[in-house]
PDB file of all heavy atoms in Angstrom:
ATOM      1  N   VAL W 376      46.700 116.946 -21.982  1.00 98.00           N
ATOM      2  CA  VAL W 376      46.731 118.350 -22.388  1.00 98.00           C
ATOM      3  C   VAL W 376      46.674 119.202 -21.127  1.00 98.00           C
ATOM      4  O   VAL W 376      46.489 118.682 -20.016  1.00 98.00           O
ATOM      5  CB  VAL W 376      45.537 118.710 -23.320  1.00 98.00           C
ATOM      6  CG1 VAL W 376      45.644 117.990 -24.651  1.00 98.00           C
ATOM      7  CG2 VAL W 376      44.191 118.408 -22.649  1.00 98.00           C
ATOM      8  N   LEU W 377      46.825 120.495 -21.286  1.00 98.00           N
ATOM      9  CA  LEU W 377      46.762 121.407 -20.161  1.00 98.00           C
ATOM     10  C   LEU W 377      45.344 121.971 -20.003  1.00 98.00           C
ATOM     11  O   LEU W 377      44.618 122.140 -20.973  1.00 98.00           O
ATOM     12  CB  LEU W 377      47.736 122.578 -20.364  1.00 98.00           C
ATOM     13  CG  LEU W 377      49.224 122.234 -20.397  1.00 98.00           C
ATOM     14  CD1 LEU W 377      50.038 123.488 -20.718  1.00 98.00           C
ATOM     15  CD2 LEU W 377      49.673 121.621 -19.073  1.00 98.00           C
ATOM     16  N   GLY W 378      44.994 122.267 -18.746  1.00 97.00           N
ATOM     17  CA  GLY W 378      43.739 122.961 -18.448  1.00 97.00           C
ATOM     18  C   GLY W 378      44.030 124.375 -17.981  1.00 97.00           C
ATOM     19  O   GLY W 378      45.195 124.743 -17.758  1.00 97.00           O
ATOM     20  N   ASN W 379      42.982 125.151 -17.793  1.00 97.00           N
ATOM     21  CA  ASN W 379      43.184 126.564 -17.445  1.00 97.00           C
ATOM     22  C   ASN W 379      43.943 126.756 -16.141  1.00 97.00           C
ATOM     23  O   ASN W 379      44.710 127.729 -15.999  1.00 97.00           O
ATOM     24  CB  ASN W 379      41.826 127.277 -17.379  1.00 97.00           C
ATOM     25  CG  ASN W 379      40.858 126.663 -16.394  1.00 97.00           C
ATOM     26  OD1 ASN W 379      40.450 125.503 -16.550  1.00 97.00           O
ATOM     27  ND2 ASN W 379      40.449 127.414 -15.392  1.00 97.00           N
ATOM     28  N   HIS W 380      43.789 125.845 -15.182  1.00 96.00           N
ATOM     29  CA  HIS W 380      44.478 126.007 -13.898  1.00 96.00           C
ATOM     30  C   HIS W 380      45.966 125.659 -13.968  1.00 96.00           C
ATOM     31  O   HIS W 380      46.743 126.072 -13.110  1.00 96.00           O
ATOM     32  CB  HIS W 380      43.812 125.140 -12.814  1.00 96.00           C
ATOM     33  CG  HIS W 380      42.569 125.753 -12.254  1.00 96.00           C
ATOM     34  ND1 HIS W 380      42.581 126.558 -11.131  1.00 96.00           N
ATOM     35  CD2 HIS W 380      41.276 125.705 -12.676  1.00 96.00           C
ATOM     36  CE1 HIS W 380      41.356 126.962 -10.874  1.00 96.00           C
ATOM     37  NE2 HIS W 380      40.543 126.462 -11.791  1.00 96.00           N
ATOM     38  N   ASP W 381      46.361 124.920 -15.000  1.00 97.00           N
ATOM     39  CA  ASP W 381      47.750 124.476 -15.084  1.00 97.00           C
ATOM     40  C   ASP W 381      48.719 125.599 -15.418  1.00 97.00           C
ATOM     41  O   ASP W 381      49.935 125.470 -15.200  1.00 97.00           O
ATOM     42  CB  ASP W 381      47.873 123.371 -16.145  1.00 97.00           C
ATOM     43  CG  ASP W 381      47.139 122.104 -15.754  1.00 97.00           C
ATOM     44  OD1 ASP W 381      47.142 121.771 -14.541  1.00 97.00           O
ATOM     45  OD2 ASP W 381      46.562 121.439 -16.623  1.00 97.00           O
ATOM     46  N   TYR W 382      48.227 126.710 -15.939  1.00 97.00           N
ATOM     47  CA  TYR W 382      49.106 127.792 -16.376  1.00 97.00           C
ATOM     48  C   TYR W 382      49.532 128.721 -15.231  1.00 97.00           C
ATOM     49  O   TYR W 382      50.371 129.597 -15.422  1.00 97.00           O
ATOM     50  CB  TYR W 382      48.405 128.623 -17.447  1.00 97.00           C
ATOM     51  CG  TYR W 382      48.146 127.867 -18.721  1.00 97.00           C
ATOM     52  CD1 TYR W 382      46.954 127.171 -18.909  1.00 97.00           C
ATOM     53  CD2 TYR W 382      49.079 127.827 -19.751  1.00 97.00           C
ATOM     54  CE1 TYR W 382      46.711 126.457 -20.065  1.00 97.00           C
ATOM     55  CE2 TYR W 382      48.837 127.130 -20.923  1.00 97.00           C
ATOM     56  CZ  TYR W 382      47.650 126.434 -21.067  1.00 97.00           C
ATOM     57  OH  TYR W 382      47.410 125.725 -22.235  1.00 97.00           O
ATOM     58  N   GLY W 383      48.941 128.556 -14.056  1.00 95.00           N
ATOM     59  CA  GLY W 383      49.294 129.399 -12.921  1.00 95.00           C
ATOM     60  C   GLY W 383      48.773 130.825 -13.004  1.00 95.00           C
ATOM     61  O   GLY W 383      49.342 131.742 -12.409  1.00 95.00           O
ATOM     62  N   ASP W 384      47.662 131.014 -13.718  1.00 94.00           N
ATOM     63  CA  ASP W 384      47.126 132.353 -13.928  1.00 94.00           C
ATOM     64  C   ASP W 384      46.391 132.904 -12.712  1.00 94.00           C
ATOM     65  O   ASP W 384      46.084 134.096 -12.660  1.00 94.00           O
ATOM     66  CB  ASP W 384      46.171 132.359 -15.112  1.00 94.00           C
ATOM     67  CG  ASP W 384      46.881 132.223 -16.457  1.00 94.00           C
ATOM     68  OD1 ASP W 384      48.103 132.475 -16.491  1.00 94.00           O
ATOM     69  OD2 ASP W 384      46.222 131.862 -17.450  1.00 94.00           O
ATOM     70  N   TYR W 385      46.087 132.069 -11.728  1.00 92.00           N
ATOM     71  CA  TYR W 385      45.228 132.496 -10.620  1.00 92.00           C
ATOM     72  C   TYR W 385      46.003 132.692  -9.327  1.00 92.00           C
ATOM     73  O   TYR W 385      45.443 132.597  -8.228  1.00 92.00           O
ATOM     74  CB  TYR W 385      44.100 131.479 -10.412  1.00 92.00           C
ATOM     75  CG  TYR W 385      43.360 131.155 -11.680  1.00 92.00           C
ATOM     76  CD1 TYR W 385      43.121 129.819 -12.037  1.00 92.00           C
ATOM     77  CD2 TYR W 385      42.922 132.156 -12.529  1.00 92.00           C
ATOM     78  CE1 TYR W 385      42.443 129.523 -13.212  1.00 92.00           C
ATOM     79  CE2 TYR W 385      42.246 131.854 -13.708  1.00 92.00           C
ATOM     80  CZ  TYR W 385      42.013 130.533 -14.039  1.00 92.00           C
ATOM     81  OH  TYR W 385      41.333 130.252 -15.204  1.00 92.00           O
ATOM     82  N   ILE W 386      47.262 132.980  -9.439  1.00 90.00           N
ATOM     83  CA  ILE W 386      48.106 133.192  -8.258  1.00 90.00           C
ATOM     84  C   ILE W 386      49.053 134.340  -8.558  1.00 90.00           C
ATOM     85  O   ILE W 386      49.444 134.555  -9.702  1.00 90.00           O
ATOM     86  CB  ILE W 386      48.888 131.904  -7.906  1.00 90.00           C
ATOM     87  CG1 ILE W 386      49.672 132.068  -6.613  1.00 90.00           C
ATOM     88  CG2 ILE W 386      49.805 131.475  -9.026  1.00 90.00           C
ATOM     89  CD1 ILE W 386      50.342 130.784  -6.132  1.00 90.00           C
ATOM     90  N   GLY W 387      49.397 135.091  -7.512  1.00 89.00           N
ATOM     91  CA  GLY W 387      50.336 136.197  -7.689  1.00 89.00           C
ATOM     92  C   GLY W 387      51.774 135.683  -7.660  1.00 89.00           C
ATOM     93  O   GLY W 387      52.217 135.129  -6.656  1.00 89.00           O
ATOM     94  N   TRP W 388      52.496 135.888  -8.756  1.00 93.00           N
ATOM     95  CA  TRP W 388      53.886 135.462  -8.851  1.00 93.00           C
ATOM     96  C   TRP W 388      54.807 136.660  -8.646  1.00 93.00           C
ATOM     97  O   TRP W 388      54.453 137.799  -8.964  1.00 93.00           O
ATOM     98  CB  TRP W 388      54.165 134.824 -10.222  1.00 93.00           C
ATOM     99  CG  TRP W 388      53.342 133.602 -10.495  1.00 93.00           C
ATOM    100  CD1 TRP W 388      52.171 133.539 -11.166  1.00 93.00           C
ATOM    101  CD2 TRP W 388      53.647 132.267 -10.087  1.00 93.00           C
ATOM    102  NE1 TRP W 388      51.696 132.249 -11.208  1.00 93.00           N
ATOM    103  CE2 TRP W 388      52.587 131.439 -10.545  1.00 93.00           C
ATOM    104  CE3 TRP W 388      54.698 131.682  -9.364  1.00 93.00           C
ATOM    105  CZ2 TRP W 388      52.554 130.063 -10.318  1.00 93.00           C
ATOM    106  CZ3 TRP W 388      54.656 130.320  -9.137  1.00 93.00           C
ATOM    107  CH2 TRP W 388      53.602 129.511  -9.611  1.00 93.00           C
ATOM    108  N   ASP W 389      55.992 136.394  -8.142  1.00 91.00           N
ATOM    109  CA  ASP W 389      56.962 137.475  -7.929  1.00 91.00           C
ATOM    110  C   ASP W 389      57.493 138.006  -9.254  1.00 91.00           C
ATOM    111  O   ASP W 389      57.907 139.163  -9.344  1.00 91.00           O
ATOM    112  CB  ASP W 389      58.145 136.989  -7.069  1.00 91.00           C
ATOM    113  CG  ASP W 389      57.711 136.704  -5.643  1.00 91.00           C
ATOM    114  OD1 ASP W 389      56.708 137.317  -5.193  1.00 91.00           O
ATOM    115  OD2 ASP W 389      58.359 135.874  -4.979  1.00 91.00           O
ATOM    116  N   SER W 390      57.479 137.159 -10.279  1.00 95.00           N
ATOM    117  CA  SER W 390      57.960 137.592 -11.599  1.00 95.00           C
ATOM    118  C   SER W 390      57.377 136.672 -12.661  1.00 95.00           C
ATOM    119  O   SER W 390      56.901 135.563 -12.364  1.00 95.00           O
ATOM    120  CB  SER W 390      59.482 137.528 -11.649  1.00 95.00           C
ATOM    121  OG  SER W 390      59.934 136.176 -11.570  1.00 95.00           O
ATOM    122  N   GLU W 391      57.413 137.138 -13.903  1.00 95.00           N
ATOM    123  CA  GLU W 391      56.963 136.320 -15.023  1.00 95.00           C
ATOM    124  C   GLU W 391      57.872 135.117 -15.219  1.00 95.00           C
ATOM    125  O   GLU W 391      57.428 134.059 -15.671  1.00 95.00           O
ATOM    126  CB  GLU W 391      56.915 137.154 -16.301  1.00 95.00           C
ATOM    127  CG  GLU W 391      55.721 138.103 -16.378  1.00 95.00           C
ATOM    128  CD  GLU W 391      54.380 137.377 -16.328  1.00 95.00           C
ATOM    129  OE1 GLU W 391      54.241 136.357 -17.044  1.00 95.00           O
ATOM    130  OE2 GLU W 391      53.498 137.815 -15.575  1.00 95.00           O
ATOM    131  N   GLU W 392      59.134 135.284 -14.871  1.00 96.00           N
ATOM    132  CA  GLU W 392      60.084 134.171 -14.985  1.00 96.00           C
ATOM    133  C   GLU W 392      59.714 133.036 -14.047  1.00 96.00           C
ATOM    134  O   GLU W 392      59.808 131.861 -14.410  1.00 96.00           O
ATOM    135  CB  GLU W 392      61.509 134.658 -14.694  1.00 96.00           C
ATOM    136  CG  GLU W 392      62.109 135.588 -15.739  1.00 96.00           C
ATOM    137  CD  GLU W 392      61.555 137.004 -15.672  1.00 96.00           C
ATOM    138  OE1 GLU W 392      60.954 137.357 -14.633  1.00 96.00           O
ATOM    139  OE2 GLU W 392      61.708 137.744 -16.663  1.00 96.00           O
ATOM    140  N   GLU W 393      59.286 133.399 -12.835  1.00 97.00           N
ATOM    141  CA  GLU W 393      58.872 132.379 -11.858  1.00 97.00           C
ATOM    142  C   GLU W 393      57.630 131.630 -12.347  1.00 97.00           C
ATOM    143  O   GLU W 393      57.537 130.418 -12.221  1.00 97.00           O
ATOM    144  CB  GLU W 393      58.594 133.039 -10.508  1.00 97.00           C
ATOM    145  CG  GLU W 393      58.264 132.037  -9.399  1.00 97.00           C
ATOM    146  CD  GLU W 393      57.950 132.705  -8.090  1.00 97.00           C
ATOM    147  OE1 GLU W 393      57.697 133.917  -8.070  1.00 97.00           O
ATOM    148  OE2 GLU W 393      57.936 132.001  -7.059  1.00 97.00           O
ATOM    149  N   LYS W 394      56.707 132.369 -12.921  1.00 96.00           N
ATOM    150  CA  LYS W 394      55.499 131.764 -13.463  1.00 96.00           C
ATOM    151  C   LYS W 394      55.823 130.814 -14.622  1.00 96.00           C
ATOM    152  O   LYS W 394      55.294 129.711 -14.707  1.00 96.00           O
ATOM    153  CB  LYS W 394      54.514 132.840 -13.926  1.00 96.00           C
ATOM    154  CG  LYS W 394      53.224 132.313 -14.501  1.00 96.00           C
ATOM    155  CD  LYS W 394      52.313 133.441 -14.950  1.00 96.00           C
ATOM    156  CE  LYS W 394      51.034 132.915 -15.577  1.00 96.00           C
ATOM    157  NZ  LYS W 394      50.150 134.008 -16.050  1.00 96.00           N
ATOM    158  N   ALA W 395      56.718 131.274 -15.504  1.00 97.00           N
ATOM    159  CA  ALA W 395      57.110 130.449 -16.654  1.00 97.00           C
ATOM    160  C   ALA W 395      57.810 129.180 -16.202  1.00 97.00           C
ATOM    161  O   ALA W 395      57.599 128.103 -16.764  1.00 97.00           O
ATOM    162  CB  ALA W 395      57.996 131.252 -17.583  1.00 97.00           C
ATOM    163  N   LYS W 396      58.637 129.303 -15.159  1.00 97.00           N
ATOM    164  CA  LYS W 396      59.351 128.131 -14.634  1.00 97.00           C
ATOM    165  C   LYS W 396      58.366 127.132 -14.033  1.00 97.00           C
ATOM    166  O   LYS W 396      58.526 125.921 -14.181  1.00 97.00           O
ATOM    167  CB  LYS W 396      60.372 128.549 -13.576  1.00 97.00           C
ATOM    168  CG  LYS W 396      61.185 127.366 -13.022  1.00 97.00           C
ATOM    169  CD  LYS W 396      62.178 127.819 -11.976  1.00 97.00           C
ATOM    170  CE  LYS W 396      63.041 126.650 -11.501  1.00 97.00           C
ATOM    171  NZ  LYS W 396      62.253 125.530 -10.957  1.00 97.00           N
ATOM    172  N   ASN W 397      57.323 127.628 -13.368  1.00 97.00           N
ATOM    173  CA  ASN W 397      56.311 126.748 -12.787  1.00 97.00           C
ATOM    174  C   ASN W 397      55.658 125.909 -13.868  1.00 97.00           C
ATOM    175  O   ASN W 397      55.459 124.698 -13.715  1.00 97.00           O
ATOM    176  CB  ASN W 397      55.258 127.586 -12.060  1.00 97.00           C
ATOM    177  CG  ASN W 397      54.133 126.738 -11.493  1.00 97.00           C
ATOM    178  OD1 ASN W 397      54.309 126.035 -10.493  1.00 97.00           O
ATOM    179  ND2 ASN W 397      52.969 126.792 -12.133  1.00 97.00           N
ATOM    180  N   LEU W 398      55.294 126.544 -14.983  1.00 97.00           N
ATOM    181  CA  LEU W 398      54.666 125.814 -16.091  1.00 97.00           C
ATOM    182  C   LEU W 398      55.632 124.818 -16.726  1.00 97.00           C
ATOM    183  O   LEU W 398      55.256 123.689 -17.035  1.00 97.00           O
ATOM    184  CB  LEU W 398      54.147 126.803 -17.148  1.00 97.00           C
ATOM    185  CG  LEU W 398      53.429 126.187 -18.345  1.00 97.00           C
ATOM    186  CD1 LEU W 398      52.245 125.317 -17.911  1.00 97.00           C
ATOM    187  CD2 LEU W 398      52.958 127.274 -19.302  1.00 97.00           C
ATOM    188  N   LYS W 399      56.867 125.234 -16.867  1.00 97.00           N
ATOM    189  CA  LYS W 399      57.880 124.343 -17.429  1.00 97.00           C
ATOM    190  C   LYS W 399      58.065 123.125 -16.531  1.00 97.00           C
ATOM    191  O   LYS W 399      58.172 121.986 -17.008  1.00 97.00           O
ATOM    192  CB  LYS W 399      59.210 125.100 -17.575  1.00 97.00           C
ATOM    193  CG  LYS W 399      60.334 124.253 -18.157  1.00 97.00           C
ATOM    194  CD  LYS W 399      61.614 125.072 -18.270  1.00 97.00           C
ATOM    195  CE  LYS W 399      62.771 124.206 -18.807  1.00 97.00           C
ATOM    196  NZ  LYS W 399      64.040 124.984 -18.889  1.00 97.00           N
ATOM    197  N   ASP W 400      58.082 123.348 -15.213  1.00 98.00           N
ATOM    198  CA  ASP W 400      58.250 122.242 -14.271  1.00 98.00           C
ATOM    199  C   ASP W 400      57.044 121.298 -14.308  1.00 98.00           C
ATOM    200  O   ASP W 400      57.221 120.073 -14.169  1.00 98.00           O
ATOM    201  CB  ASP W 400      58.429 122.797 -12.841  1.00 98.00           C
ATOM    202  CG  ASP W 400      59.765 123.480 -12.655  1.00 98.00           C
ATOM    203  OD1 ASP W 400      60.669 123.301 -13.487  1.00 98.00           O
ATOM    204  OD2 ASP W 400      59.903 124.217 -11.643  1.00 98.00           O
TER     205      ASP W 400
END
Side-chain angles (χ1 to χ4, degrees):
V376 293
L377 296 175
N379 58 297
H380 280 268
D381 293 324
Y382 295 90
D384 288 342
Y385 309 131
I386 185 174
W388 299 95
D389 292 334
S390 67
E391 284 300 315
E392 291 75 17
E393 184 182 15
K394 180 181 178 181
K396 182 180 184 303
N397 177 74
L398 182 56
K399 181 180 178 181
D400 290 345

